[in-house]
Structures are given as structure tokens and as C-alpha cells.
Amino acid sequence: QKEVEQDPGPLSVPEGAIVSLNCTYSNSAFQYFMWYRQYSRKGPELLMYTYSSGNKEDGRFTAQVDKSSKYISLFIRDSQPSDSATYLCAMIPYNTDKLIFGTGTRLQVFP
Amino acid sequence: KAGVTQTPRYLIKTRGQQVTLSCSPISGHRSVSWYQQTPGQGLQFLFEYFSETQRNKGNFPGRFSGRQFSNSRSEMNVSTLELGDSALYLCASRKTDYTDTQYFGPGTRLTVL
């Protein structure tokens, strides 16, 4: 079993929809949680970074962490075709600098 | 400010050969990490260098090695290439540690025939 599980998709939604992307993890030592976006032929870029349970909002993006359930989510409001990309969750265990990634969810937003 | 650069962008090798990939971090960043990305396994951490020393290591065989120079530039070497080494190799840099944002380069696409 992988430490971080993420549905690979693809997830296809119409423009304007609310998108929910999720990851589950098994290691309770994970303390820091991130979401990256990766466009085709590019490296991942950081979208959101959080270390506590609860919600963190940045524009159309909301990151949610539930440490008791070992579950994190990324919500995208008013999705746009430019949001079409692969979204990767990533986590850092306590006392290390190692970044552990999920396999990524491919999102397609159609006009 | 220039981003993380990786060379070459594409590489084709045959089984048994060795390969060296290069990464130039963002100016002022002292930490460089390497990742392997494949469709089946996703992004997997190879190793991290900080101030010319390997600080963290993933679960890859000894055929995968790296080094960092005094100017923070890093190289990754894979010896005795196998078909399964075909992947996108990503380099990422950050100032010091996990509290800093990690910036990724565009990657080197390695194909082993």
C-alpha cells in the first residue's frame, strides 16, 4: 500500500463547475500538506501549503486537511479551461525534509 | 529571476549505458532535490543535496547517484541503464528546508531503449 493514495482520474468537468480533488494517507507522521499543479511538459508548481487541520483559501482554491481522518482535499471554484492539468498532493513527515507525492489526478475542464 | 533549469531536456539511451543529468537551481537556493516521475508510480523522491552534502535519500538502487557543487548546481547519474529507468527526471530547488517553497524545473525526459 502506498503512503499517499490519490485517484488518477481523469476527471472531466464543464467550465464553472466546482472541482473536488482528494488524497488519503496512512502515515500519521505527515505534518505538512501541499497541492501542486503540473501542466503538460512542465514541472509541478506549488498551489497551496498548509500544516494544520482545517481550511485554507487562496482565490478560487481551498485546501482542506482532516488529520483525524488522514484525508486532504483541494477545491477549485468556478473552474476554467486553464485549470486543466494534473494535480498532485504532497506531504512531508515530521522531522524530515522528504516530500512524498500522490500519483496525481488529471483534470480536464471543457468550455 | 531565472527559474530552475535542467539539461538536457530530452535524452535517448540504450540499456547498459550510463547518463548524467544536470540541474541549475534558482540563485540563492542551496537545496536541490531530484525526483523520478513515471505514469505508474508518480513522483518518487530520489535524493536531496544541501551545501554539497546528501541530506536525504529515497529508496532507489545504488545505480542512482548524485552530487552538488559549491555553486549549488547538481548532477544526477544513472549507471547501467534499464528499460524501467525511462521517466521524467525532475529537479527542484529551495532556499534551505521544508519551510521554503520548492520550485521545480521542467524535467529531463529519459528514454531507455
Side-chain angles (χ1 to χ4, degrees):
Chain A
Q1 186 190 2
K2 291 186 176 179
E3 285 188 280
V4 180
E5 298 280 356
Q6 186 175 8
D7 188 331
L11 184 61
S12 188
V13 301
E15 184 176 353
I18 296 175
V19 175
S20 171
L21 303 165
N22 310 297
C23 285
T24 58
Y25 60 96
S26 55
N27 188 349
S28 58
F30 285 131
Q31 297 289 311
Y32 304 93
F33 306 91
M34 284 139 282
W35 285 96
Y36 282 81
R37 176 176 62 195
Q38 185 175 21
Y39 289 113
S40 181
R41 303 186 195 282
K42 302 269 189 182
E45 57 177 330
L46 182 66
L47 275 177
M48 305 282 287
Y49 181 111
T50 184
Y51 56 86
S52 57
S53 281
N55 293 352
K56 182 177 181 179
E57 196 172 310
D58 184 2
R60 296 185 295 111
F61 299 91
T62 299
Q64 187 177 78
V65 173
D66 183 346
K67 288 187 179 181
S68 61
S69 301
K70 298 190 181 69
Y71 189 90
I72 69 170
S73 299
L74 178 71
F75 298 97
I76 307 174
R77 288 184 299 281
D78 187 25
S79 56
Q80 303 295 309
S82 58
D83 294 327
S84 298
T86 296
Y87 290 80
L88 301 133
C89 63
M91 308 178 189
I92 300 178
Y94 178 71
N95 255 356
T96 80
D97 285 328
K98 285 191 196 182
L99 213 57
I100 311 296
F101 281 86
T103 50
T105 299
R106 191 155 61 91
L107 170 68
Q108 189 168 14
V109 181
F110 56 90
Chain B
K1 198 177 195 179
V4 179
T5 57
Q6 292 186 247
T7 55
R9 291 293 311 278
Y10 302 91
L11 209 48
I12 299 175
K13 292 285 187 179
T14 55
R15 276 182 300 175
Q17 286 187 307
Q18 76 163 22
V19 66
T20 299
L21 312 181
S22 182
C23 171
S24 292
I26 291 171
S27 177
H29 287 194
R30 293 164 62 193
S31 163
V32 173
S33 295
W34 288 90
Y35 296 85
Q36 181 195 67
Q37 188 174 32
T38 58
Q41 298 297 316
L43 258 166
Q44 292 185 283
F45 173 76
L46 279 154
F47 30 66
E48 181 199 10
Y49 285 87
F50 179 79
S51 293
E52 301 178 67
T53 302
Q54 189 178 85
R55 182 160 69 175
N56 283 297
K57 189 177 186 307
N59 298 323
F60 278 80
R63 300 186 297 108
F64 292 83
S65 63
R67 59 178 177 168
Q68 187 180 34
F69 301 96
S70 58
N71 62 358
S72 293
R73 191 177 70 84
S74 177
E75 286 182 347
M76 191 193 96
N77 185 273
V78 189
S79 62
T80 319
L81 284 165
E82 300 176 0
L83 294 178
D85 296 333
S86 294
L88 180 68
Y89 290 88
L90 290 157
C91 164
S93 77
R94 56 188 171 187
K95 283 184 183 175
T96 51
D97 61 22
Y98 62 87
T99 61
D100 300 312
T101 298
Q102 192 166 69
Y103 295 89
F104 282 82
T108 294
R109 172 75 61 186
L110 171 65
T111 302
V112 182
L113 302 176

